[in-house]
Amino acid sequence: MMIEYEHEYTPMLATAFGFLSRKGKKVNGSAINQAKHDFIIASGGCCLHCGTSLTRNNSNTEHIHDRALGGHNKAGNKIIICIDCNLARNKTMQEYLGQPSYWRGFPGNWDRVKKYLLWNAVTADKGHRAGRVFPEVHAIFEDILRSEGRKISPPKHWFGRDDNLTLISSQNNKRGFFVRFFDKIFGYHNVEQQSTISQADYMVGIETTEIDTQTVRPRKIVEVDETFRRHILDALDKVDGEVNLATFSSFFKLYLTSQGFNFKGLKQFARSYGVPKSRTNIQILQDYFPNEIDWRWDGQYTVFIQRKHEVFEVPHREEE
Ligand SMILES: [Zn+2]
């Protein structure tokens, strides 16, 4: 795994190597973008390490590739995390690599520098727990949080590097998704009832309250302009993996604002295209994106959606 990450992050490592060989001569970059910071906070962004909800006061910009190791001051190298975790990352660096300037220890310290930088990049891009691939660095960081009495509960979604506002998902387990989806369909009511209703209607039924086969009938699907679908898919394409529909709804509202629209949310946006007021968010997605969006129920009230990437199929069990 370490080798794969070294390959994936070669440009970062090359920059650090060059920086340390130049005895720490820095390269200039762009300023912090406050609008993006605000956007992340407004969208309910969480610290990718500890899970704290980010606010203007408790969060700031972290350089994924540390400036002290030659990292650029550019959006693609920045992430918004909580201030306490930002400090803990700096403490981790000093505990693992000693005091700066790090070019003084170069090239003897290169192996440690490399592991520290890769841990930084991997946690930012793939989630806190992915940092376990670099156990020494990971243990130092977690020990710092524990010694401060802080919880380590990484969120399921966080905003990635500051240049594209992409929501990253740590749970992209297709197998789990299929199993739970089928459990919902076949585990909720008896087989006889299922045979009388379609999957889509069944899901609509449990979205409201108890299913009543007498009242389930096909919904009228109003024809809409293609821009309606394009905007929703554009926004969903910015999400990597599964996302809670409620989270996506607030994200979509901000997406619309960024596109110059002024709507209160997905439903109002849909109404402007003639979709009936009574349609719920999930019904809108079911009606207009049957081939593009998958959904999964988690409990009775929470639904996760994700962009469909492959043909739906039943998972096969492994022989034990
Ligand atoms: Zn944190």
Side-chain angles (χ1 to χ4, degrees), residues 83-101:
I83 290 172
D84 290 335
C85 285
N86 195 334
L87 291 172
R89 281 177 85 125
N90 289 334
K91 285 182 197 165
T92 302
M93 177 170 73
Q94 298 202 5
E95 198 168 323
Y96 191 57
L97 300 178
Q99 300 294 316
S101 300

Side-chain angles (χ1 to χ4, degrees), residues 3 55 62 67:
I3 299 294
T55 68
E62 158 81 353
R67 299 284 280 156

Side-chain angles (χ1 to χ4, degrees), residues 46-54 58 81-86 88 141 145 150-151:
C46 293
C47 175
L48 68 94
H49 286 296
C50 67
T52 297
S53 286
L54 301 175
N58 76 0
I81 60 174
C82 85
I83 290 172
D84 290 335
C85 285
N86 195 334
F141 180 83
L145 262 62
R150 298 179 48 223
K151 279 182 186 164

Side-chain angles (χ1 to χ4, degrees), residues 112-129:
R112 284 184 164 232
V113 166
K114 197 166 66 177
K115 283 177 183 162
Y116 170 73
L117 285 176
L118 289 171
W119 178 84
N120 264 3
V122 162
T123 51
D125 294 334
K126 298 162 205 304
H128 173 79
R129 294 201 170 92

Side-chain angles (χ1 to χ4, degrees), residues 151-208:
K151 279 182 186 164
I152 306 170
S153 43
K156 285 174 178 164
H157 296 88
W158 65 96
F159 283 88
R161 293 173 189 257
D162 202 13
D163 54 353
N164 56 13
L165 291 173
T166 299
L167 259 186
I168 302 177
S169 168
S170 65
Q171 44 160 39
N172 202 1
N173 187 339
K174 299 268 185 217
R175 186 186 163 85
F177 168 68
F178 292 137
V179 171
R180 290 162 85 173
F181 186 83
F182 277 95
D183 283 350
K184 267 293 166 218
I185 293 176
F186 299 120
Y188 203 81
H189 286 279
N190 65 49
V191 178
E192 221 169 292
Q193 266 180 311
Q194 287 154 22
S195 61
T196 63
I197 50 174
S198 74
Q199 280 183 14
D201 283 339
Y202 184 78
M203 300 312 279
V204 173
I206 63 168
E207 187 197 5
T208 50

Side-chain angles (χ1 to χ4, degrees), residues 159-267:
F159 283 88
R161 293 173 189 257
D162 202 13
D163 54 353
N164 56 13
L165 291 173
T166 299
L167 259 186
I168 302 177
S169 168
S170 65
Q171 44 160 39
N172 202 1
N173 187 339
K174 299 268 185 217
R175 186 186 163 85
F177 168 68
F178 292 137
V179 171
R180 290 162 85 173
F181 186 83
F182 277 95
D183 283 350
K184 267 293 166 218
I185 293 176
F186 299 120
Y188 203 81
H189 286 279
N190 65 49
V191 178
E192 221 169 292
Q193 266 180 311
Q194 287 154 22
S195 61
T196 63
I197 50 174
S198 74
Q199 280 183 14
D201 283 339
Y202 184 78
M203 300 312 279
V204 173
I206 63 168
E207 187 197 5
T208 50
T209 47
E210 270 299 296
I211 188 148
D212 178 352
T213 49
Q214 300 304 307
T215 61
V216 174
R217 60 177 77 89
R219 289 187 295 270
K220 182 168 179 269
I221 300 178
V222 179
E223 223 172 284
V224 294
D225 189 89
E226 183 58 25
T227 55
F228 169 75
R229 282 165 40 82
R230 187 171 55 76
H231 279 301
I232 291 173
L233 291 176
D234 273 1
L236 191 56
D237 278 339
K238 292 180 186 299
V239 178
D240 175 36
E242 271 195 334
V243 62
N244 186 320
L245 180 56
T247 307
F248 178 72
S249 299
S250 41
F251 178 75
F252 185 66
K253 192 177 152 189
L254 286 152
Y255 165 86
L256 289 173
T257 308
S258 75
Q259 298 294 308
F261 295 108
N262 184 22
F263 292 109
K264 282 179 187 152
L266 180 61
K267 282 181 70 172

